[in-house]
Amino acid sequence: MNEYNINHLRELEAESIYVIREVAAQFENPVMLFSGGKDSIIMFHLARKAFAPAKVPFALMHVDTGHNFPETIEFRDRLMEETGTRLIVRYVQDSIDQGKAVEETGFDASRNKLQTVTLLDGLEELQVDCAMGGGRRDEEKARAKERFFSHRDEFGQWDPKNQRPELWNLFNGKKHMGEHFRVFPISNWTEMDVWQYIYLENIDIPNIYFSHEREVFMRHGNLLSVSDFIPMRDTEKVEKRIVRFRTIGDATCTGAVESEANSLEDIIEEVAATRTTERGTRHDDKRSEAAMEDRKKEGYF
Amino acid sequence: MSDKTSGYLDMELLRFTTAGSVDDGKSTLIGRLLYDSKAIFEDQMEAIEISSQKRGDTEVDLALLTDGLRAEREQGITIDVAYRYFATPKRKFIIADTPGHIQYTRNMVTGASTANCALILVDARNGVIEQTLRHSYIANLLQIPHLIVCINKMDLMNYSEETYENIKKEYQKVADKLNIKDVRFIPISAKFGDNVVDASQNMDWYKGETLLNLLETIEILDDRNHEDARFPVQYVIRPQSDEYHDYRGFAGRVASGVFKPGDKVKVLPSGRETTIKAIDTLNGELDIAFTPQSVTLRLSDEIDTSRGDMIVAADNVPAMEQEFDAMVCWMNERAMIPGGKYTIKHTSNETRCMVRNVNFKVDVNTLEEMEDDKTIGLNDIACLKLKTAKPLFFDSYKKNRNTGSFILIDEATNETVAAGMIR
């Protein structure tokens, strides 16, 4: 083997670090969106690598739906404290109270879509010119067309038919007043790459990614966690099952999978053997064939 | 750690692009690669089964797997470059899937800019046509190191060896004309899967590898430039802390070559010489850094250095010029303005430039160089003479894809209007 060989994870890592440094160099007031899920955790890990031994030169921003898994919030706060990072939180509840967003009603109500309002308001208020997100192109077909540097107009909208060409590793972050960018440093990572990297780097993640016993109920083929914010139908039965989460999003639309995997090795083998995409556990994508495309156009993550 | 887990940590990354139109079966081929290599999940398969039924198709259309946007599915066309991922135990693959119809040149150039390898699709019924020539020209212009010519729809030609051999001979003429070094041929049927992932039962006369085998084994490491040490400074790291009071690190990605502590280097544009003191990462110091790693360099002497500067080997420096010729692909509806000024982005450097002259324009269908035609519009490829406001540090694109490439930005619209390769 050639002595200048690096494996796929190190190559992806180098690419992501490069992108994050470009953001710090090209924008005046960037933030990194952080949900406490594994993708934002590795993105933050890569950011720390990009600027060591200095601290990460931008704040993290969490758009909080209020429908959280408590484990995620505990994890988030601990990580911020340990790394001395500034965290900005904006609450969907505030947008609802201000009348800017209207709560959905019914059994399948979710605040997932409302996050866009809170996010765009937050970016405007803080005069953010670039928001980095942990979106990956392998997640969903509309995301497969996304650029690393994605231009947004003054309404925060994405125009997929009119994107700037992106060549080599030359990123064009130029914009007019009021416009901003979304940048996706881990665009080229797959779910498998993320898990392998967490394993390789021994990165700490919230414990709900590992197998545990939980009270759940079945809805539309997904195992949803029993919680105060999800109204249940009379026909829906609460059961105790051994589960874990493949993704962590809003608790009202993130399903668990039955799993005994309680180590990173187990998870990697499980991911390798799995026959559904991780977004298959995301209720929000199943609303229509173009659900993600529509949300992205409006300014979603 | 089990063997299975450790195996995943030992894969190489290969980026490839596909050239061909929907009629050549390009989307079907990608769908086939993903499907047969088990990269398609059940819920994705279910989704395209439903879409196929909605459209009234009798068979599941694998091409639907690659159409992401609503308009694309409705009109059965592909609008933009899409990226697909799959992996085998040997390699992880990134496919830049470029559309066949609209704005072909612009999209193919985009997909080709990062590719190690290009698949050129040829319809066995039509053989080598104008479009094949155009695709091959662009692949070669962008210096994609390896080309694989997939002669598709062999099922419609009774899997005839003669058809395959004739097309191969025809294509070899194109390859010779363009001076393409590494080209390979595979007879396939994307629709039925012959020679894509599994060896064909219908073409036992073909003794070569399947497409997936080839993609797994093509040697790509030597394609990288490990000769010319080039480090564009991307960002200066200065921790505002007591512990690292005097720390100044130069963050960037090694564009080419190799750097080691103690190496004599020169910082451009000042030309001042020093040595590499250390190569830093979050996990400690490294004794070597090479392309495409992202690292932080510390220098032995305090030299004024900032973003846009380049750290290079002291005895092997790039050109440092304000005027040069470049092949340019125009990517915007707004045509090039003769004598116009644009922002040029090259490595981490950025300045203004002016188009001094259109040396010639290329007819991508005949490869003829036209010296009289000075109008450069969307999808045109031309050789321009550019003058920059300050010197750029570059190598020829042929020698170095990272220090030989640039983009032009329209100062009024901020759009990326052209991709350039320095001659």
Side-chain angles (χ1 to χ4, degrees):
Chain A
M1 200 174 275
N2 185 309
E3 62 176 313
Y4 304 130
N5 184 30
I6 60 173
N7 72 27
H8 68 297
L9 296 173
R10 293 298 177 206
E11 193 170 338
L12 290 170
E13 175 190 64
E15 177 179 83
S16 302
I17 290 174
Y18 174 82
V19 173
I20 294 168
R21 285 170 171 170
E22 274 305 287
V23 168
Q26 290 196 34
F27 296 96
E28 279 171 28
N29 189 24
V31 295
M32 181 170 268
L33 299 172
F34 187 87
S35 68
K38 66 183 189 312
D39 297 326
S40 56
I41 290 168
I42 71 151
M43 180 168 65
F44 174 58
H45 182 80
L46 291 161
R48 290 178 59 214
K49 287 199 157 199
F51 303 104
K55 279 185 185 162
V56 173
F58 38 74
L60 266 53
M61 180 175 174
H62 183 204
V63 177
D64 188 339
T65 62
H67 296 165
N68 301 299
F69 296 102
E71 295 90 338
T72 319
I73 299 299
E74 281 160 32
F75 178 89
R76 178 195 79 185
D77 293 342
R78 199 175 64 237
L79 184 64
M80 294 306 107
E81 200 185 311
E82 279 170 10
T83 57
T85 309
R86 191 162 69 93
L87 176 76
I88 300 164
V89 186
R90 285 295 175 271
Y91 299 92
V92 171
Q93 186 63 51
D94 290 345
S95 301
I96 293 169
D97 294 345
Q98 291 158 11
K100 288 177 172 169
V102 179
E103 185 105 70
E104 295 182 0
T105 53
F107 287 104
D108 289 331
S110 159
R111 287 182 167 181
N112 192 54
K113 201 173 168 229
L114 308 188
Q115 289 179 95
T116 304
V117 176
T118 313
L119 171 67
L120 291 177
D121 277 357
L123 296 180
E124 198 177 320
E125 175 209 328
L126 300 161
Q127 301 198 323
V128 167
D129 54 357
C130 172
M132 282 173 272
R136 310 190 322 261
R137 289 171 178 155
D138 81 315
E139 277 180 272
E140 204 279 334
K141 57 200 169 193
R143 286 206 199 269
K145 310 242 155 175
E146 184 65 274
R147 302 289 192 261
F148 274 99
F149 272 48
S150 181
H151 177 255
R152 301 303 158 105
D153 66 16
E154 53 190 325
F155 299 101
Q157 296 184 105
W158 182 52
D159 180 4
K161 285 193 213 167
N162 195 21
Q163 301 190 78
R164 292 180 184 174
E166 204 162 76
L167 298 115
W168 297 290
N169 53 5
L170 297 168
F171 298 113
N172 173 2
K174 295 201 181 293
K175 59 188 176 353
H176 293 291
M177 282 288 284
E179 299 174 343
H180 76 275
F181 269 79
R182 298 291 172 82
V183 171
F184 302 98
I186 61 165
S187 288
N188 276 333
W189 297 58
T190 61
E191 182 187 17
M192 187 53 147
D193 298 328
V194 170
W195 283 114
Q196 288 170 8
Y197 188 70
I198 289 170
Y199 178 80
L200 182 71
E201 291 276 301
N202 199 17
I203 299 170
D204 200 17
I205 51 170
N207 53 17
I208 61 174
Y209 279 116
F210 298 102
S211 179
H212 58 281
E213 191 181 59
R214 180 175 284 267
E215 287 196 326
V216 293
F217 65 96
M218 183 69 84
R219 178 179 291 176
H220 306 304
N222 273 330
L223 286 174
L224 294 183
S225 189
V226 174
S227 81
D228 296 343
F229 8 89
I230 315 176
M232 288 178 61
R233 294 181 176 88
D234 296 342
T235 49
E236 288 167 335
K237 274 204 316 273
V238 175
E239 315 166 59
K240 276 193 173 171
R241 300 240 196 138
I242 304 294
V243 299
R244 68 176 200 88
F245 289 91
R246 281 179 81 188
T247 69
I248 297 180
D250 184 293
T252 60
C253 58
T254 306
V257 289
E258 293 201 88
S259 169
E260 304 273 343
N262 51 23
S263 69
L264 288 170
E265 287 99 321
D266 290 351
I267 291 176
I268 289 174
E269 289 186 16
E270 188 182 281
V271 171
T274 307
R275 299 301 306 142
T276 56
T277 65
E278 57 181 330
R279 290 208 81 92
T281 62
R282 293 291 277 263
H283 212 69
D284 39 329
D285 289 341
K286 294 190 175 168
R287 292 189 169 191
S288 87
E289 195 171 14
M292 176 65 90
E293 181 181 342
D294 293 342
R295 274 180 291 147
K296 278 183 70 69
K297 279 181 182 165
E298 288 164 12
Y300 188 71
F301 302 114
Chain B
M1 176 168 58
S2 70
D3 289 348
K4 212 172 158 188
T5 317
S6 63
Y8 295 126
L9 302 179
D10 211 22
M11 287 155 41
E12 263 182 334
L13 181 61
L14 179 100
R15 300 171 200 250
F16 68 94
T17 183
T18 51
S21 71
V22 178
D23 308 329
D24 297 329
K26 183 174 66 75
S27 297
T28 313
L29 174 63
I30 292 173
R32 174 62 65 187
L33 265 177
L34 297 177
Y35 186 72
D36 285 1
S37 65
K38 313 228 172 352
I40 305 286
F41 295 108
E42 277 168 10
D43 52 335
Q44 288 174 313
M45 200 62 199
E46 237 168 68
I48 68 160
E49 275 167 14
I50 294 167
S51 303
S52 296
Q53 280 166 12
K54 267 192 206 160
R55 299 199 325 181
D57 298 344
T58 45
E59 278 175 62
V60 174
D61 186 356
L62 286 178
L64 286 175
L65 281 167
T66 60
D67 295 332
L69 304 171
R70 194 197 301 267
E72 294 177 321
R73 287 190 300 276
E74 282 167 6
Q75 298 165 37
I77 53 161
T78 316
I79 290 168
D80 206 282
V81 185
Y83 295 87
R84 317 277 160 209
Y85 303 84
F86 71 104
T88 67
K90 293 195 180 89
R91 271 182 183 165
K92 171 196 163 90
F93 298 96
I94 301 179
I95 313 175
D97 180 13
T98 56
H101 294 309
I102 304 170
Q103 301 189 339
Y104 194 78
T105 305
R106 161 179 150 151
N107 286 309
M108 186 177 166
V109 167
T110 303
S113 71
T114 50
N116 311 98
C117 174
L119 308 189
I120 307 265
L121 260 90
V122 174
D123 186 328
R125 294 171 302 175
N126 305 329
V128 175
I129 55 173
E130 207 172 76
Q131 178 185 266
T132 320
L133 187 66
R134 191 162 72 219
H135 295 162
S136 307
Y137 173 75
I138 295 169
N140 194 49
L141 180 69
L142 272 288
Q143 293 283 304
I144 300 179
H146 312 280
L147 298 192
I148 301 174
V149 178
C150 300
I151 299 166
N152 191 22
K153 306 201 180 178
M154 289 298 290
D155 50 299
L156 299 178
M157 299 300 289
N158 296 318
Y159 299 104
S160 149
E161 184 176 7
E162 198 191 335
T163 303
Y164 169 72
E165 288 297 339
N166 285 340
I167 294 174
K168 199 172 147 181
K169 234 178 272 162
E170 251 180 284
Y171 189 88
Q172 196 57 57
K173 283 187 218 152
V174 174
D176 292 344
K177 188 170 171 187
L178 293 171
N179 197 17
I180 296 170
K181 283 170 208 87
D182 184 13
V183 55
R184 303 154 202 238
F185 301 88
I186 307 182
I188 64 167
S189 164
K191 193 172 176 194
F192 298 106
D194 296 80
N195 289 333
V196 178
V197 170
D198 301 313
S200 172
Q201 306 293 313
N202 301 307
M203 293 179 274
D204 46 16
W205 46 263
Y206 173 75
K207 305 292 179 213
E209 290 176 284
T210 64
L211 177 59
L212 186 64
N213 260 330
L214 201 51
L215 289 170
E216 280 182 320
T217 53
I218 269 187
E219 187 56 57
I220 50 170
L221 230 47
D222 296 335
D223 301 338
R224 289 193 179 126
N225 180 331
H226 293 298
E227 306 296 316
D228 311 307
R230 308 278 186 260
F231 187 84
V233 175
Q234 205 187 348
Y235 189 86
V236 181
I237 294 177
R238 309 189 65 159
Q240 309 291 330
S241 65
D242 294 340
E243 192 186 349
Y244 295 99
H245 191 70
D246 293 323
Y247 187 98
R248 258 162 60 94
F250 303 104
R253 198 170 183 189
V254 181
S256 60
V258 178
F259 289 88
K260 290 178 182 160
D263 279 0
K264 274 195 173 164
V265 293
K266 197 177 255 188
V267 181
L268 301 179
S270 72
R272 288 193 54 187
E273 289 191 19
T274 179
T275 54
I276 304 276
K277 190 174 180 191
I279 303 167
D280 288 341
T281 70
L282 178 71
N283 309 78
E285 295 185 12
L286 301 177
D287 29 348
I288 186 167
F290 49 88
T291 179
Q293 290 179 318
S294 284
V295 295
T296 301
L297 301 183
R298 264 184 295 142
L299 303 176
S300 305
D301 301 285
E302 197 148 311
I303 295 179
D304 183 28
T305 307
S306 56
R307 177 173 168 88
D309 293 354
M310 194 184 280
I311 299 170
V312 304
D315 59 356
N316 171 356
V317 297
M320 200 162 103
E321 308 277 348
Q322 274 180 270
E323 204 171 79
F324 50 84
D325 288 339
M327 293 302 293
V328 164
C329 174
W330 204 258
M331 309 193 123
N332 201 270
E333 267 99 13
R334 262 163 70 103
M336 190 198 79
I337 299 157
K341 294 186 181 69
Y342 296 93
T343 297
I344 182 168
K345 260 178 131 37
H346 168 260
T347 66
S348 58
N349 211 346
E350 183 183 313
T351 183
R352 295 182 84 197
C353 76
M354 191 177 23
V355 181
R356 289 293 294 268
N357 188 35
V358 178
N359 298 341
F360 60 84
K361 182 170 155 181
V362 179
D363 181 330
V364 286
N365 295 321
T366 61
L367 306 190
E368 197 190 332
E369 295 180 359
M370 303 173 292
E371 289 180 19
D372 299 333
D373 191 348
K374 306 282 188 195
T375 55
I376 309 298
L378 181 62
N379 293 323
D380 281 343
I381 291 172
C383 178
L384 307 182
K385 183 177 281 300
L386 298 177
K387 183 168 169 56
T388 54
K390 64 176 189 187
L392 298 183
F393 331 117
F394 61 84
D395 298 284
S396 75
Y397 185 78
K398 273 206 163 68
K399 219 172 124 192
N400 198 326
R401 281 174 104 182
N402 289 325
T403 58
S405 53
F406 63 85
I407 56 171
L408 298 183
I409 298 168
D410 187 317
E411 295 180 343
T413 64
N414 289 330
E415 284 174 18
T416 303
V417 293
M421 290 142 281
I422 300 172
R423 298 256 270 183

